[in-house]
């Protein structure tokens, strides 16, 4: 079916490169999770709060959260009510690579924690993780499951001091965590294969991080062209989950 555009050959080349590599870095964006039922939040339509349509970028900005935390928590409840959200073949394959000692890190722009659910341990979350909560008063940390009603839409409160809890995500208007960025820079600069998947590479800091890659096997897996296509050694346009599902099925498991 894809024969004419040579995609199967590209997938065999990817499989071969994976086989030959020992320090793979998987760098993923929203497109890695869309096949898991999580939409791309950027470019998503507004979120409705008390009959007002609020742009999602506003719901996810720190200035807005500070004044209207309920908008975030209502949005979070709505997102978490989605049925059937689970890791897909891409998450599973990447976790297998780590277990096989072939992958040094996952760097992700996603906040959904699906890589960990698939079994990945070395996950550098550039934008944090929405299932970890932090108290805005006493800075105590909690996991989502420790806080009753955190998925209900009501603003969760700290069990210790009753202050508002916030998610451990990087809101718009906040700085990225320095340790996470440094870890990503180190892993990428030492990688022998860099797979960039499901990101258009137009958002800070994704593009800047790719610049640290010094190897000769840069794979770009994205549905649409990116500003980095001219530097890629292999470009794959198929949906990310499907590519890895086919790698699984062809027995090319790590
Ligand atoms: Zn507290």
């Amino acid at each position: 079916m894809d024969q004419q555009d040579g995609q199967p050959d590209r997938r065999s080349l990817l499989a071969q490169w994976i086989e030959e590599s020992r320090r793979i870095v998987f760098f993923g964006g929203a497109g890695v999770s869309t096949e898991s039922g999580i939409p791309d939040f950027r470019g998503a339509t507004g979120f409705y709060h008390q009959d007002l349509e609020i742009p999602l970028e506003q719901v996810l900005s720190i200035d807005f959260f500070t004044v209207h935390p309920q908008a975030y928590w209502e949005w979070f409840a709505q997102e978490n009510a989605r049925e059937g959200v689970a890791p897909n073949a891409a998450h599973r394959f990447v976790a297998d690579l780590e277990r096989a000692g072939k992958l040094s890190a996952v760097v992700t722009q996603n906040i959904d924690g699906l890589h960990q659910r698939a079994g990945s341990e070395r996950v550098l979350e550039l934008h944090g993780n929405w299932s970890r909560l932090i108290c805005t008063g006493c800075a105590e940390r909690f996991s989502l499951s420790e806080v009753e009603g955190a998925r209900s839409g009501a603003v969760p409160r700290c069990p210790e001091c009753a202050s508002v809890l916030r998610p451990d995500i990087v809101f718009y208007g906040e700085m990225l965590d320095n340790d996470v960025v440094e870890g990503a820079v180190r892993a990428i600069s030492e990688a022998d294969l860099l797979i960039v998947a499901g990101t258009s590479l137009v958002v800070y800091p994704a593009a800047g991080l790719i610049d640290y890659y010094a190897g000769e096997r840069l794979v770009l897996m994205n549905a649409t062209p990116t500003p980095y296509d001219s530097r890629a050694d292999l470009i794959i346009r198929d949906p990310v989950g499907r590519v890895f599902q086919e790698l699984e099925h062809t027995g090319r498991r790590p």
Side-chain angles (χ1 to χ4, degrees), residues 24 35-36 38 56 75 82 116 124 128 161 169 174 227 241 247:
I24 302 170
E35 287 156 274
S36 287
I38 296 196
L56 196 52
W75 171 78
R82 287 177 198 279
Q116 289 92 331
L124 297 160
C161 76
I169 65 171
E174 290 189 309
L247 289 181

Side-chain angles (χ1 to χ4, degrees), residues 1 3 10 26 29 42-43 45-46 54 59 74 86 153 156 160-161 182 212 216 225 237 241-242 245 248:
M1 179 174 60
Q3 218 77 37
R10 292 176 190 217
F26 181 85
R42 282 187 339 110
T45 50
I54 309 170
V59 175
E74 281 176 27
E160 311 290 331
C161 76
E182 279 176 13
Y212 287 95
E216 284 166 4
R237 296 275 181 239
R242 206 175 84 198
Q245 193 169 21
E248 272 181 337

Side-chain angles (χ1 to χ4, degrees), residues 168-215:
D168 185 10
I169 65 171
V170 179
F171 279 103
Y172 290 109
E174 290 189 309
M175 303 279 289
L176 301 185
D177 183 290
N178 218 30
D179 291 343
V180 174
V181 173
E182 279 176 13
V185 167
R186 201 174 317 122
I188 290 170
S189 61
E190 293 169 356
D192 53 4
L193 170 62
L194 178 59
I195 302 172
V196 179
T199 169
S200 51
L201 287 175
V202 290
V203 187
Y204 172 86
L209 286 173
I210 305 302
D211 284 336
Y212 287 95
Y213 180 58

Side-chain angles (χ1 to χ4, degrees), residues 134-140 142 157-165:
I134 306 172
C135 176
T136 56
C138 69
E140 191 71 41
F142 303 94
R157 299 272 170 175
C158 176
E160 311 290 331
C161 76
S163 299
V164 168
L165 293 178

